[in-house]
Amino acid sequence: MTPSPQSPRPRPRSPLMRRDPAALGIPQAALLALADRLAEESLDPHALLIARGGDVAFETAWAPYALDRPALVYSASKTYTALAIGYLADERRLRLDDSAGMLLGLPDPHGITVRHLLTMNTGHTGAQIEAIGMDPARLLATGPSHAPGTFFAYNSPASHALSAIVTAVTGERMTDYLRPRLLDPLGIGERWMDSVDGIQTGASGFHLTVDDLTRTATMLGAGGVFRGTQVASDWFIEEMTRPWSNTAAFDGPVAAAGEVNDWALGYGYQVWRSRHGFRLDGAAGQFALVVPELDLTIAYQGATLDTQATLRAFWAFVDAVGVASVAGEAADASEGIYASELPAAGDPAPDTWSSRERLTIMTEASFEADGLMLSDAGDGWTLALPGVGTLPVSDAWTAARLSRGDALSAPSSRPEAVADPAADDLRLAARGEQRSDGSVLVHVVDTTSPHRVIVIREADGSLRAGWHIPPIGGGWEVLRVPSVVTRRLARSSALLLDMDGTLVDSHAVVERLWTQWSIDHGIDPAYTLSIIHGRQGQESMALLLPDRPPEVTIAENRELLAAETAQTEGVVAIAGAGALLEGLKTLPHALVTSATRALADARMEAAGIRMPAVAVTAEDVVRSKPDPEGFLAAARRLGVEPADAIVVEDSANGIAAGLAAGMRVIGIGPHAAAAGPTWTVPDATAIHVQDDGDGGIRLTLD
């Protein structure tokens, strides 16, 4: 057995270059039309990345999804399985016309070869394939209704058999075998594929980002070349993308009358031919489209059963790019737009709650509702979800991470597809809305998959719930993943931390004193509390009482600060804050707060957590958040470039200040997502830091 080459030291995952769309010959109107169409046609878009020549023209994620969080891509996984076979053929460890049974050490009475598996031409019918399941021995032993090589039927067991061949030949899991050959050269980070009986599924189960899909599609479109390096053999890519199988009779997604059906154009080695080029294709709309004639790729994750409608939207976009290319439109960046000017994650356009309301429950899909409960709780609700646990719900997306131990009821048995004991987590986000008819609508999204549950509490209190699109192969259990899938990585020269709401929970004191202040001045306390967070007190007072003399406001704020400093009862540390500060002890970091130094010292001491050596407080700035002055001052004191620093903030004002400083922002807490930070986490327990070996910080976000 030939050992795999050792991976070199993990390569830095250098980003794809971001360029102005106009400079890449992509019209602004076409991008806007595509983004709008995906949302308006209720196709439930999650993430989208468009690249040309390997450069990114546009990327966005629709809340609560994130561009940097891998998600289940279902059968798009199959293409990676085919590539693994290609590497084995290159290394002369197998031939495509070898007997599959010979390679697996199993009987092969019907002469099924590796190529038959790659092209899904084993000769089995759909009914036979369903009965076979993920069992290579049974696949080879079952007599096909047609001669192998003469009949196509969509065949995930064949893909799983290919993964089993990779492991049988190499002694490695398929993705471990691919790591030094494909994943590292493409810059694809640590990822996860689920397994069946210890063999990676091969047919599904890979969790990838749209960036990962783009890197793969760019390489395939360039004949195996990525950034000047031949990553995969051109002969195999050429064979892989031919229409080996006739799929004209395939019973796939329905096309409109007179429309070309994209599932009737042929099948290669685990890729589909398209009306333009070819594609990686996963259930419910997980796509990587390769359009070689335009040097264009589209990577997408969404959730719809009408996947032909999703492709229809993409082809309209491709046609517009083609027309612009033929017309030779000037690639003048000054007349174009930058991706940041288009809808981006967190902006109102991508987070189209109105389009989410049009998504419906699939009533025929099985859903465990025994024990379901939706209760009013303060300014939101609490949802008890069977098989999952208890989730907080508000009118903004609220993230939650739940392990199997949190489940309200344990399943009687685990599906075989979830054979990895480390696959314990569900990473969810919930959002609710009180509707005018008295009902409540709640969406619970699994952010590592295409799936969501819709819960409706009618005005009379009755509940109904179900999947928008059910997971393949089971319910919540098949969606559980290990922590590597929910983990996000970043590097920073320094971490700049807010205090109240980020490290310290002082809301009881703040709300009590500001509520009384509002009542004393005839102001609605709810309005006061909606604007004060992140701001210095005197600025908040000036906004609320703009006609009052400044000297009166300053004096009154001094009195309020004294009261806040003296009243520390109920001030506690935010979960994980102490551990985060201890981890940062020898790393560059600073506190940036709108509180005075005395107030900051009092609250940090009351919470029992360490005060950073560098602190920018109210005395050190002229303007408070949302002005970026405080964060810029902290960066100067630490001697780092603003763009290399990362802010940790909970309030909309603080998040706006960090972004205005040109910094990336980790939004912390249930309301942070609405302000559009770079990342969101539920609390400080989800932030892990270590020395990056180069004087900076390596962050891991759960």
Side-chain angles (χ1 to χ4, degrees):
M1 184 178 292
T2 305
S4 295
Q6 295 297 306
S7 288
R9 182 181 178 185
R11 302 184 182 192
R13 189 185 171 284
S14 56
L16 299 173
M17 182 178 292
R18 271 62 181 167
R19 294 186 61 195
D20 182 282
L24 297 172
I26 297 178
Q28 171 184 358
L31 284 169
L32 293 172
L34 175 60
D36 288 345
R37 182 171 181 171
L38 292 169
E40 290 171 0
E41 293 188 7
S42 298
L43 298 173
D44 193 12
H46 297 174
L48 172 67
L49 194 157
I50 296 171
R52 196 169 195 187
D55 294 336
V56 176
F58 174 59
E59 60 182 337
T60 194
W62 283 257
Y65 303 93
L67 286 165
D68 61 350
R69 175 166 291 143
L72 175 62
V73 296
Y74 278 122
S75 288
S77 310
K78 291 179 169 72
T79 304
Y80 295 87
T81 306
L83 286 165
I85 295 295
Y87 289 116
L88 288 175
D90 259 344
E91 295 164 10
R92 299 188 178 182
R93 299 166 84 170
L94 59 70
R95 294 175 302 175
L96 300 188
D97 292 316
D98 282 347
S99 159
M102 177 191 71
L103 294 166
L104 290 168
L106 296 170
D108 184 13
H110 310 289
I112 293 174
T113 67
V114 173
R115 198 185 307 272
H116 293 148
L117 299 174
L118 283 169
T119 59
M120 296 191 178
N121 266 301
T122 64
H124 296 99
T125 64
Q128 287 181 304
I129 291 165
E130 185 175 356
I132 287 167
M134 295 297 189
D135 185 345
R138 189 171 181 183
L139 175 68
L140 298 181
T142 300
S145 296
H146 306 267
T150 67
F151 179 80
F152 170 86
Y154 198 71
N155 194 332
S156 288
S159 305
H160 180 59
L162 292 169
S163 178
I165 287 172
V166 174
T167 298
V169 172
T170 68
E172 297 180 272
R173 296 184 311 168
M174 187 181 71
T175 57
D176 291 337
Y177 173 71
L178 284 175
R179 172 57 55 194
R181 294 166 174 82
L182 177 72
L183 304 179
D184 280 346
L186 292 185
I188 294 175
E190 188 177 3
R191 298 291 181 258
W192 181 72
M193 179 183 284
D194 63 17
S195 302
V196 177
D197 296 331
I199 303 296
Q200 288 185 321
T201 312
S204 183
F206 215 4
H207 291 69
L208 300 168
T209 66
V210 285
D211 185 277
D212 298 333
L213 291 170
T214 297
R215 291 165 183 265
T216 306
T218 297
M219 179 273 294
L220 292 172
V225 175
F226 185 75
R227 291 184 170 170
T229 299
Q230 192 77 43
V231 173
S233 292
D234 56 355
W235 74 266
F236 187 77
I237 302 302
E238 193 279 326
E239 283 206 8
M240 182 181 184
T241 56
R242 288 187 206 167
W244 288 88
S245 299
N246 185 334
T247 61
F250 176 65
D251 183 20
V254 178
E259 181 184 29
V260 173
N261 188 310
D262 281 282
W263 283 266
L265 299 175
Y267 193 76
Y269 295 165
Q270 309 286 288
V271 296
W272 289 89
R273 294 296 306 180
S274 299
R275 68 184 81 173
H276 295 283
F278 58 93
R279 69 186 185 278
L280 290 69
D281 185 321
Q286 321 316 309
F287 292 122
L289 277 58
V290 185
V291 186
E293 64 266 29
L294 293 176
D295 201 10
L296 184 72
T297 60
I298 301 172
Y300 176 77
Q301 293 167 336
T304 181
L305 295 181
D306 190 3
T307 46
Q308 183 70 65
T310 303
L311 289 180
R312 191 179 302 130
F314 290 145
W315 300 143
F317 170 76
V318 169
D319 289 343
V321 174
V323 168
S325 298
V326 171
E329 292 184 357
D332 182 356
S334 66
E335 296 178 2
I337 55 168
Y338 289 89
S340 59
E341 297 176 42
L342 287 159
D347 287 347
D351 189 10
T352 49
W353 185 239
S354 60
S355 70
R356 303 291 189 255
E357 285 188 308
R358 295 196 293 271
L359 302 180
T360 58
I361 295 171
M362 185 182 290
T363 54
E364 62 269 31
S366 174
F367 179 76
E368 176 57 56
D370 188 21
L372 180 74
M373 185 176 298
L374 181 65
S375 308
D376 295 331
D379 58 354
W381 304 268
T382 298
L383 176 64
L385 197 57
V388 174
T390 301
L391 301 174
V393 182
S394 72
D395 60 2
W397 286 110
T398 304
R401 177 183 174 187
L402 296 101
S403 68
R404 187 171 284 104
D406 298 317
L408 293 176
S409 59
S412 57
S413 63
R414 291 177 66 193
E416 64 171 358
V418 188
D420 187 343
D424 188 63
D425 290 345
L426 288 171
R427 190 62 185 250
L428 307 178
R431 180 174 176 177
E433 178 185 37
Q434 180 81 50
R435 300 196 288 187
S436 59
D437 62 0
S439 66
V440 177
L441 170 68
V442 173
H443 282 221
V444 179
V445 166
D446 181 289
T447 55
T448 66
S449 83
H451 302 292
R452 75 174 63 221
V453 159
I454 299 171
V455 180
I456 298 173
R457 188 180 72 187
E458 303 290 3
D460 63 6
S462 61
L463 285 174
R464 55 190 176 96
W467 295 102
H468 165 51
I469 296 174
I472 295 175
W476 291 111
E477 280 300 293
V478 300
L479 298 181
R480 293 191 182 275
V481 296
S483 59
V484 64
V485 178
T486 62
R487 196 177 296 148
R488 292 159 292 170
L489 303 176
R491 186 197 169 280
S492 174
S493 294
L495 208 60
L496 311 181
L497 304 116
D498 173 52
M499 183 180 70
D500 290 306
T502 300
L503 300 174
V504 170
D505 181 356
S506 59
H507 79 277
V509 174
V510 171
E511 291 190 5
R512 181 171 65 249
L513 291 174
W514 278 96
T515 295
Q516 186 58 56
W517 181 90
S518 301
I519 292 170
D520 292 344
H521 290 84
I523 299 170
D524 180 4
Y527 179 65
T528 298
L529 296 175
S530 73
I531 71 164
I532 62 171
H533 296 291
R535 281 194 172 95
Q536 292 182 22
Q538 64 196 42
E539 286 198 11
S540 297
M541 290 178 180
L543 285 172
L544 293 163
L545 297 171
D547 298 327
R548 197 168 64 166
E551 60 272 17
V552 176
T553 294
I554 292 170
E556 194 168 59
N557 181 59
R558 192 177 300 118
E559 294 175 5
L560 191 61
L561 279 171
E564 288 188 85
T565 304
Q567 296 186 30
T568 57
E569 183 179 352
V571 173
V572 296
I574 295 288
L580 175 60
L581 286 169
E582 286 306 302
L584 287 168
K585 186 176 288 185
T586 61
L587 302 175
H589 67 289
L591 187 76
V592 181
T593 176
S594 296
T596 62
R597 180 62 192 236
L599 180 56
D601 284 337
R603 285 187 177 162
M604 296 289 279
E605 182 179 355
I609 54 179
R610 179 182 62 83
M611 171 66 79
V614 176
V616 175
T617 62
E619 296 92 338
D620 300 314
V621 297
V622 175
R623 298 170 297 277
S624 70
K625 305 167 188 176
D627 191 277
E629 182 184 355
F631 290 120
L632 293 172
R636 283 194 301 273
R637 289 192 190 181
L638 293 170
V640 301
E641 291 295 322
D644 293 333
I646 291 179
V647 167
V648 185
E649 263 284 4
D650 74 301
S651 71
N653 288 325
I655 292 168
L659 295 174
M663 300 172 181
R664 293 161 291 167
V665 179
I666 301 170
I668 193 168
H671 303 295
T678 314
W679 305 280
T680 59
V681 295
D683 55 45
T685 61
I687 306 173
H688 311 280
V689 296
Q690 63 186 93
D691 192 325
D692 70 354
D694 195 29
I697 303 172
R698 184 177 186 269
L699 288 98
T700 304
L701 307 180
D702 290 338

